[in-house]
């Protein structure tokens, strides 16, 4: 399968992992205004003329950044695939894989990782998935949703079932600005551990 087909498959799976649910969050402080600086970073401006940067949405990045702002902000030198997608080999969460960033009208709206660890024993994939879930629980709190979806016969060994393509696992969180999901996928054209981040207001 070519790189473009893999990226389309990953993007569609990420959208399934991070289902958009409209929501609105206002600022609690009436003396604070949100703004975006020239580099595309989100900042908080206060009535006393002070300011502070908002926490990044992902790594050093903020939703809505242009492709050029992303390339200048992140420590990795991204090379665009086209005008809507950037991808590169990356190492994250102690694993090797591919990172991709998707843009809509030159605004960052979606990011994801596809990990390419190669294990003969399916329980190692289950272990990596569970470690990621625990990491995200520590960071984002209890999940919004946890799904174990069987496509074949239910068995006691998730690892073997995953390698056969009989089960898919996913867990989802929601933050003020993002949908976050991780999952194990084994279907036609896509195999591995995925993490997806999507801007809630895209």
């Amino acid at each position: 399968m070519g790189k473009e087909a893999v990226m389309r498959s990953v993007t569609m799976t990420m959208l399934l992992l991070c289902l958009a649910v409209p929501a609105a969050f206002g600022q609690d402080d009436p003396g604070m205004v949100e703004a975006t600086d020239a580099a595309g970073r989100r900042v908080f401006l206060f009535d006393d003329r002070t300011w502070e940067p908002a926490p990044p949405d992902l790594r050093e990045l903020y939703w809505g950044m242009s492709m050029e702002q992303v390339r200048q902000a992140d420590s990795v030198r991204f090379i665009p695939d086209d005008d809507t997608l950037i991808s590169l080999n990356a190492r994250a969460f102690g694993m090797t894989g591919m990172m991709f960033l998707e843009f809509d009208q030159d605004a960052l709206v979606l990011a994801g990782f596809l990990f390419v660890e190669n294990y003969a024993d399916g329980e190692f994939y289950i272990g990596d998935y569970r470690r990621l879930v625990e990491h995200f629980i520590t960071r984002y709190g209890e999940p919004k949703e946890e799904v174990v979806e069987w496509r074949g016969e239910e068995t006691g060994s998730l690892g073997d079932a995953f390698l056969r393509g009989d089960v898919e696992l996913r867990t989802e969180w929601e933050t003020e600005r993002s949908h976050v999901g991780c999952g194990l996928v084994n279907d036609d054209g896509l195999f591995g551990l995925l993490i997806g981040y999507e801007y809630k207001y895209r």
Side-chain angles (χ1 to χ4, degrees):
M1 175 180 289
K3 183 177 181 181
E4 290 183 6
V6 169
M7 294 312 303
R8 281 195 301 272
S9 185
V10 169
T11 299
M12 288 307 298
T13 304
M14 295 289 57
L15 289 173
L16 292 175
L17 283 174
C18 303
L19 298 175
V21 179
F25 291 84
Q27 292 298 331
D28 294 332
D29 185 350
M32 180 177 69
V33 176
E34 285 191 26
T36 304
D37 69 11
R41 296 169 300 199
R42 186 166 156 252
V43 297
F44 298 136
L45 307 176
F46 300 97
D47 283 348
D48 63 1
R49 298 188 180 190
T50 60
W51 67 278
E52 64 182 45
D57 295 305
L58 172 69
R59 292 167 53 129
E60 302 168 31
L61 307 177
Y62 295 83
W63 299 129
M65 278 183 157
S66 70
M67 187 177 288
E68 186 56 33
Q69 287 170 338
V70 166
R71 295 181 69 196
Q72 292 178 10
D74 203 277
S75 56
V76 177
R77 297 301 298 170
F78 292 104
I79 300 175
D81 292 298
D82 55 37
D83 61 357
T84 64
L85 187 70
I86 291 174
S87 64
L88 75 157
N89 293 328
R91 187 159 178 82
F93 305 99
M95 295 177 286
T96 302
M98 179 172 60
M99 180 182 184
F100 66 93
L101 302 173
E102 185 177 319
F103 297 80
D104 183 7
Q105 298 182 35
D106 200 29
L108 179 64
V109 294
L110 187 79
F113 294 90
L114 170 63
F115 296 104
V116 293
E117 303 293 336
N118 187 15
Y119 301 129
D121 185 341
E123 290 303 319
F124 286 106
Y125 291 103
I126 303 299
D128 285 346
Y129 171 76
R130 287 180 173 155
R131 279 190 292 278
L132 276 180
V133 169
E134 288 303 314
H135 169 80
F136 287 131
I137 286 174
T138 300
R139 182 160 190 179
Y140 301 120
E142 289 303 310
K144 174 184 170 184
E145 185 174 16
E146 294 180 89
V147 177
V148 178
E149 182 178 331
W150 289 92
R151 295 192 292 257
E153 181 182 351
E154 292 191 30
T155 68
S157 173
L158 280 177
D160 290 341
F162 169 67
L163 289 180
R164 291 194 305 269
D166 288 343
V167 68
E168 180 176 308
L169 295 87
R170 69 179 185 274
T171 307
E172 301 169 12
W173 293 262
E174 187 172 299
T175 72
E176 183 178 339
R177 289 169 51 83
S178 306
H179 297 287
V180 180
C182 68
L184 271 176
V185 180
N186 181 3
D187 59 23
D188 293 338
L190 190 61
F191 176 93
L193 178 59
L194 296 164
I195 300 175
Y197 303 83
E198 184 184 25
Y199 181 40
K200 286 172 68 171
Y201 308 112
R202 66 178 296 185

